[in-house]
Amino acid sequence: MSSPRADPDSSEEPKPGKAKTEFRNYTEGKLIERVYNTYLLMHTHQTVEFVRRKSAQYGSCSLRRMSVMEALQLLDQLVDESDPDVDFPNSFHAFQTAEGIRRAHPDKDWFHLVGLLHDLGKVLALFGEPQWAVVGDTFPVGCRVQKSVVYGDSTFHDNPDTKDPRYSTEYGMYQPGCGLDNVLMSWGHDEYMYQVMKFNNFALPKEAFYMVRFHSFYPWHAHGDYGHLCSEEDRRMLPWVRELNKFDLYTKQEELPDVQQLRAYYQGLIDKYCPGQLCW
């Protein structure tokens, strides 16, 4: 599919159900112990060796065959244990995000679909992977952890890569400006869903693939860390990732969408861009 314009049309932020400062609060709240423990396990076990192993395990997309809607229905069973803002199934969040994008960008139906797809990789948690290997913010492995990584100052003490001289410098195993395409990110739903989209030849613009692949990389797109690894292409894509993030974050609210009413519209988009039974 031909690529859209270089930058998304800037849109107004959705009206969240609570103050913006109350989102992504990692210091207090009723879910905070669950969230902290998820990140502690993630930051202990996500190493270069672990990521390479998971990439090899899932890169062939030979786990099962199912449609996008079937994958979405599986997310009815999943509550993200890394998210301090929601305690309801992830399938509702998919429709909340997609509908927020649809209201702000009515002419970009492919972008509406990205909202629906962006977290579908979380089905890994229902295929036997622990949540720390599926959900949460991502970060590059193989180089020094930057300051904005959630709980980064208290959760990496048992990660062996932090003591490995190959991986513990600012650049670690990477070259300056090598591009995120050449960086190993912590394993999770972003990279898995990107691989599923690529393997099944989704007929979407490259911005769609990029947004899905890096939407959880908050240390970069929200805090400006890891810029020393980024290429010009990464900087060109950044506005798209930030545009998705507005709706990913600020459409989360307890008032849940009427999924049955919306299903026909999104099935039409699925039939247009990624139809039928897919390899996962």
Side-chain angles (χ1 to χ4, degrees):
M1 178 178 173
S2 60
S3 190
R5 50 176 288 171
D7 287 328
D9 295 323
S10 187
S11 64
E12 287 186 23
E13 287 182 347
K15 300 291 188 290
K18 59 183 180 180
K20 282 172 59 178
T21 53
E22 293 179 37
F23 286 90
R24 288 180 59 84
N25 181 339
Y26 291 98
T27 57
E28 58 186 12
K30 63 179 181 178
L31 305 174
I32 209 68
E33 184 177 351
R34 182 182 81 183
V35 172
Y36 182 84
N37 287 334
T38 301
Y39 276 103
L40 178 61
L41 288 166
M42 179 197 299
H43 294 165
T44 300
H45 299 295
Q46 290 269 6
T47 62
V48 170
E49 188 275 332
F50 175 82
V51 172
R52 285 176 173 159
R53 185 155 38 90
K54 289 300 168 186
S55 298
Q57 180 180 350
Y58 290 109
S60 61
C61 295
S62 55
L63 209 56
R64 68 165 70 182
R65 289 180 64 83
M66 59 181 171
S67 67
V68 167
M69 276 300 181
E70 286 169 331
L72 261 175
Q73 286 167 346
L74 283 181
L75 291 187
D76 288 346
Q77 305 167 44
L78 181 74
V79 174
D80 185 331
E81 294 177 1
S82 73
D83 195 332
D85 296 314
V86 296
D87 201 21
F88 52 78
N90 229 116
S91 54
F92 291 106
H93 168 60
F95 283 100
Q96 286 176 333
T97 306
E99 282 294 282
I101 294 169
R102 185 181 175 189
R103 284 189 291 272
H105 299 279
D107 58 326
K108 296 184 180 71
D109 66 351
W110 64 270
F111 196 6
H112 312 166
L113 184 59
V114 169
L116 197 72
L117 297 172
H118 77 284
D119 274 350
L120 269 193
K122 291 180 183 178
V123 294
L124 279 178
L126 304 170
F127 297 161
E129 288 294 337
Q131 287 222 10
W132 60 261
V134 178
V135 302
D137 292 4
T138 56
F139 61 94
V141 297
C143 64
R144 184 188 299 147
V145 176
Q146 301 282 294
K147 283 186 168 55
S148 66
V149 172
V150 172
Y151 302 129
D153 57 349
S154 65
T155 51
F156 280 92
H157 48 275
D158 288 331
N159 185 309
D161 283 3
T162 62
K163 302 169 187 68
D164 189 321
R166 295 172 298 171
Y167 306 142
S168 54
T169 63
E170 184 180 21
Y171 285 96
M173 63 183 193
Y174 306 112
Q175 296 298 315
C178 61
L180 296 181
D181 190 45
N182 296 304
V183 169
L184 272 187
M185 300 297 295
S186 55
W187 178 257
H189 68 284
D190 291 37
E191 182 65 24
Y192 173 61
M193 190 60 201
Y194 167 75
Q195 294 295 342
V196 168
M197 292 168 69
K198 198 167 67 164
F199 187 91
N200 289 281
N201 297 310
F202 281 29
L204 291 165
K206 62 183 178 180
E207 284 78 359
F209 288 80
Y210 193 97
M211 283 188 276
V212 168
R213 193 178 197 184
F214 296 111
H215 74 272
S216 299
F217 189 13
Y218 275 85
W220 174 59
H221 68 67
H223 300 289
D225 280 345
Y226 295 101
H228 57 293
L229 301 178
C230 293
S231 65
E232 281 303 315
E233 178 70 355
D234 295 322
R235 285 184 276 275
R236 190 183 79 76
M237 289 290 190
L238 181 56
W240 284 100
V241 179
R242 286 178 170 162
E243 187 67 11
L244 170 63
N245 177 246
K246 277 196 301 206
F247 302 97
D248 185 10
L249 190 55
Y250 298 130
T251 58
K252 293 174 183 174
Q253 48 193 296
E254 294 297 331
E255 186 180 334
L256 301 179
D258 184 344
V259 171
Q260 292 305 320
Q261 187 181 13
L262 299 173
R263 193 179 299 275
Y265 174 72
Y266 287 99
Q267 185 62 57
L269 298 187
I270 292 164
D271 292 343
K272 180 176 178 181
Y273 293 111
C274 46
Q277 295 288 299
L278 308 174
C279 299
W280 295 78

